[in-house]
């Protein structure tokens, strides 16, 4: 089924690199204890058929062997993961590999489409990773925290880090781990082997301790531990509250680039504002909530607004201010950083006493219209600041539902001349487990469109 939040608005969040082939990672795991027994019971993937999705073109290529996936990226995209990873002899090899793999997944998912994509994505990815890992601050950068969470659910690269380490060791001419996990040659004395085993155990213990810290830092906020558990844990990095995490996620360029490249969305706002400039925006006071890069504020200024207040809680506001000044609208648009609720409470918005705003413009819509949970903040500003004859922009929203065929089901009707329609039932059951954002061709619509709900944003509560 496909749902439309608002006519003409087809915003899509960044696509995961696996496209339609695998579910997205769910990072909202159930609470779990982090005692040693729990670590001993980690799932064993031996014997499981793993699928290795290419790092450079995950939607086009997947393999059953790690070596094949690595070779494909190297030969077809010029990207050699093993060359990017640090030495296998370093204690933080596993940590760096996790960061590198997830960073690659996210980079490729946001790389975009172009005619020379295949020849450029590997080169761009290699340059991006080299810049990160060669940076003196890369090992202490808090931004690394986001890359401990898998971008791709059940990512085979992450499940077989031991194999990745062995391949890295081979490229460096180092001894490879044996079946018992030891590393060494056949001419060693017993004392040498004992010393080497002790060093290896010590190294593995440090890696395990580090892994506990990382997992703790990702799950501690879920509240799944009592006070005694927390007292026995190593200190975890300071965690962000929900608001800080939300705003920090909007501080990177990825999400803003994705939204701006949604031309249906962006052009709909531009047309709606400029075509109504005389009646709604000329000589008016406009409030842009969640301004991001400032694109809607600039549209409002182009439409003749006498003052535009651009508000965003993330650090992107600094770039927005530079963009606004660069395009000559610094005299009309005033940028304010902070949560809207806090700015209201402290009277920090640049409004004269008793001054109201005539138009509140915002792109607050999320999945199925309300998922973004930004609307309450916009409504609070409406109730506190909007003039009696003012308006929200947009001032109405609707949710529609309609049915569409899915090519992932149609595929099974003819597979190399073989009718495999019994697979449709299995595939359908698997597909409904996860939501997705897709562009559906009009020819694929198989039902009438039904309006589920409509809202007057100037009056709704």
């Amino acid at each position: 089924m496909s749902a439309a939040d608002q006519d003409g608005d087809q915003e899509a969040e960044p696509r995961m690199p696996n496209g339609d082939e695998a579910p997205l990672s769910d990072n909202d795991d159930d609470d779990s204890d982090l005692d040693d027994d729990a670590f001993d019971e980690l799932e064993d993937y031996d014997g499981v058929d793993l699928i290795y999705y290419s790092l450079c073109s995950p939607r086009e290529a997947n393999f059953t062997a790690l070596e094949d996936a690595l070779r494909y990226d190297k030969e077809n995209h010029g990207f050699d993961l093993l060359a990017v990873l640090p030495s296998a002899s370093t204690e933080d090899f596993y940590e760096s590999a996790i960061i590198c793999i997830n960073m690659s997944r996210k980079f490729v998912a946001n790389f975009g489409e172009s005619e020379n994509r295949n020849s450029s994505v590997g080169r761009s990815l290699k340059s991006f990773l080299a810049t990160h890992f060669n940076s003196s601050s890369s090992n202490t950068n808090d931004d690394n925290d986001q890359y401990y969470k898998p971008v791709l659910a059940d990512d085979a690269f992450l499940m077989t880090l031991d194999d990745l380490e062995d391949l890295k060791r081979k490229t460096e001419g180092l001894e490879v781990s044996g079946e018992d996990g030891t590393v060494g040659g056949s001419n060693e004395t017993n004392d040498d082997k004992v010393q080497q085993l002790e060093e290896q155990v010590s190294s593995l213990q440090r890696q395990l301790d580090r892994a506990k810290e990382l997992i703790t830092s990702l799950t501690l906020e879920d509240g799944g531990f009592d006070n005694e558990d927390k007292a026995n844990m190593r200190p975890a990095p300071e965690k962000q509250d929900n608001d800080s995490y939300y705003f920090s996620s909007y501080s990177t360029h990825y999400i803003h680039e994705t939204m701006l490249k949604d031309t249906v969305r962006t052009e709909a706002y531009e047309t709606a504002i400029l075509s109504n400039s005389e009646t709604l925006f000329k000589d008016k006071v406009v409030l842009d909530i969640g301004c991001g890069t400032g694109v809607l504020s600039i549209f409002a200024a182009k439409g003749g607004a006498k003052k535009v207040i651009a508000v965003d809680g993330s650090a992107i506001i600094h770039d927005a201010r530079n963009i606004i000044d660069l395009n000559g609208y610094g005299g009309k648009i005033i940028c304010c950083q902070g949560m809207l609720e806090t700015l209201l409470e402290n009277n920090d918005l640049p409004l004269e006493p008793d001054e109201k705003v005539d138009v509140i413009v915002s792109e607050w819509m999320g999945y199925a219209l309300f998922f973004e949970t930004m609307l309450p903040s916009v409504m609070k500003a409406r109730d506190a600041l909007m003039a009696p004859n003012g308006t929200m922009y947009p001032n109405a929203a609707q949710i529609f539902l309609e049915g569409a065929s899915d090519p992932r089901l149609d595929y099974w009707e003819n597979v190399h001349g073989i009718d495999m329609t019994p697979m449709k039932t299995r595939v359908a059951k698997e597909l409904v487990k996860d939501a997705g954002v897709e562009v559906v061709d009009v020819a694929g619509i198989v039902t009438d469109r039904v309006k589920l709900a409509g809202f007057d944003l100037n009056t709704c509560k």
Side-chain angles (χ1 to χ4, degrees):
M1 306 296 282
S2 64
D5 336 295
Q6 180 184 5
D7 289 345
D9 184 6
Q10 298 182 8
E11 175 188 355
E13 296 293 330
R15 291 176 60 87
M16 292 298 105
N18 55 324
D20 299 334
E21 300 296 335
L24 304 186
S25 172
D26 180 4
N27 291 317
D28 297 326
D29 297 334
D30 293 335
D31 297 335
S32 58
D33 293 330
L34 295 180
D35 58 343
D36 289 334
D37 290 338
F39 277 88
D40 291 339
E41 295 171 2
L42 288 175
E43 185 174 359
D44 184 1
Y45 290 99
D46 288 343
V48 177
D49 293 330
L50 297 176
I51 301 297
Y52 295 87
Y53 290 93
S54 161
L55 291 173
C56 293
S57 54
R59 280 181 279 175
E60 288 78 30
N62 60 77
F63 306 87
T64 57
L66 174 61
E67 296 92 330
D68 292 339
L70 295 173
R71 186 182 305 110
Y72 174 86
D73 284 337
K74 184 176 181 179
E75 294 178 354
N76 290 274
H77 298 283
F79 176 73
D80 186 357
L81 176 64
L82 296 177
V84 174
L85 292 173
S87 172
S89 61
T90 59
E91 292 184 2
D92 62 349
F93 174 82
Y94 286 93
E95 180 181 343
S96 297
I98 291 171
I99 294 173
C100 185
I101 292 167
N102 287 324
M103 188 175 289
S104 299
R105 295 289 189 203
K106 188 169 185 179
F107 178 87
V108 171
N110 292 281
F111 186 73
E113 300 293 337
S114 64
E115 293 183 359
N116 63 341
R117 184 185 192 279
N118 285 345
S119 61
S120 61
V121 63
R123 182 173 62 254
S124 299
L125 177 58
K126 180 165 58 176
S127 176
F128 173 72
L129 294 175
T131 300
H132 175 83
F133 284 104
N134 290 335
S135 171
S136 60
S137 60
S138 62
N139 292 328
T140 59
N141 194 333
D142 291 338
D143 289 343
N144 279 347
D145 288 350
Q146 64 181 302
Y147 297 114
Y148 294 125
K149 297 181 180 181
V151 173
L152 180 64
D154 299 330
D155 194 335
F157 276 84
L158 298 176
M159 295 178 187
T160 53
L161 292 176
D162 286 342
D163 295 339
L164 192 62
E165 182 190 25
D166 286 344
L167 292 174
K168 180 66 176 180
R169 284 184 171 277
K170 289 180 179 178
T171 65
E172 297 177 310
L174 301 175
E175 294 288 347
V176 178
S177 300
E179 292 295 328
D180 59 355
T182 61
V183 178
S186 58
N187 296 326
E188 295 174 311
T189 65
N190 288 336
D191 289 341
D192 291 335
K193 290 182 178 180
V194 169
Q195 181 180 357
Q196 191 172 60
L197 285 171
E198 289 175 346
E199 292 175 352
Q200 185 178 13
V201 169
S202 178
S203 176
L204 290 172
Q205 183 60 53
R206 287 193 294 270
Q207 292 181 30
L208 178 60
D209 290 341
R210 178 57 179 155
K212 289 182 178 181
E213 287 182 10
L214 296 176
I215 297 174
T216 299
S217 72
L218 297 176
T219 60
L220 189 57
E221 63 184 0
D222 292 338
F225 311 103
D226 55 30
N227 291 333
E228 183 177 355
D229 290 330
K230 294 178 181 179
N232 292 329
M233 291 179 185
R234 290 174 173 266
E238 184 178 351
K239 296 301 295 178
Q240 297 174 313
D241 56 39
N242 289 337
D243 289 329
S244 297
Y245 178 81
Y246 174 84
F247 288 122
S248 66
S249 70
Y250 279 83
S251 295
T252 63
H253 81 276
Y254 297 110
I255 192 167
H256 297 284
E257 182 178 352
T258 299
M259 290 189 292
L260 292 171
K261 285 182 176 178
D262 182 353
T263 54
V264 173
R265 161 197 174 274
T266 306
E267 290 178 1
Y269 272 91
E270 182 179 19
T271 302
I273 292 173
L274 298 184
S275 64
N276 291 280
S277 58
E278 288 292 327
T279 56
L280 289 178
F281 289 88
K282 187 176 181 179
D283 299 325
K284 303 294 186 180
V285 178
V286 178
L287 175 62
D288 179 5
I289 302 175
C291 68
T293 56
V295 62
L296 300 188
S297 294
I298 292 176
F299 291 160
K302 283 185 176 182
K306 68 178 180 181
K307 178 165 72 174
V308 182
I309 303 171
V311 175
D312 203 288
S314 76
I316 201 71
I317 192 73
H318 304 299
D319 299 283
R321 184 179 291 112
N322 292 334
I323 292 170
I324 289 165
D325 290 341
L326 180 64
N327 286 272
Y329 293 101
K332 281 191 175 183
I333 304 174
I334 306 171
C335 295
C336 302
Q337 182 176 11
M339 290 180 57
L340 193 282
E341 292 82 353
T342 303
L343 295 174
L344 287 174
E345 183 180 349
N346 297 333
N347 294 318
D348 285 338
L349 291 173
L351 291 168
E352 299 297 328
D354 299 324
E355 184 180 18
K356 298 293 185 178
V357 299
D358 301 296
V359 181
I360 297 177
V361 63
S362 179
E363 201 291 279
W364 51 265
M365 289 71 72
Y367 296 130
L369 190 62
F370 294 117
F371 181 78
E372 186 81 3
T373 69
M374 182 178 166
L375 182 58
S377 296
V378 179
M379 293 170 61
K380 185 165 291 187
R382 177 199 67 186
D383 296 340
L385 300 175
M386 196 166 75
N389 295 324
T391 185
M392 301 273 278
Y393 214 70
N395 62 357
Q398 299 172 319
I399 301 177
F400 294 89
L401 189 68
E402 59 190 1
S405 61
D406 195 320
R408 290 171 292 184
L409 294 177
D410 299 338
Y411 166 78
W412 297 100
E413 295 177 358
N414 186 341
V415 183
H416 296 283
I418 303 171
D419 186 349
M420 294 189 178
T421 51
M423 283 293 296
K424 280 188 173 183
T425 301
R426 173 181 293 276
V427 175
K429 289 180 179 179
E430 294 173 358
L431 291 177
V432 298
K433 293 180 181 179
D434 296 281
V437 177
E438 303 291 340
V439 176
V440 180
D441 189 272
V442 65
I445 303 300
V446 296
T447 70
D448 293 331
R449 175 178 289 191
V450 178
K451 178 180 174 180
L452 295 183
F455 305 91
D456 182 343
L457 300 178
N458 283 330
T459 59
C460 67
K461 298 296 184 181

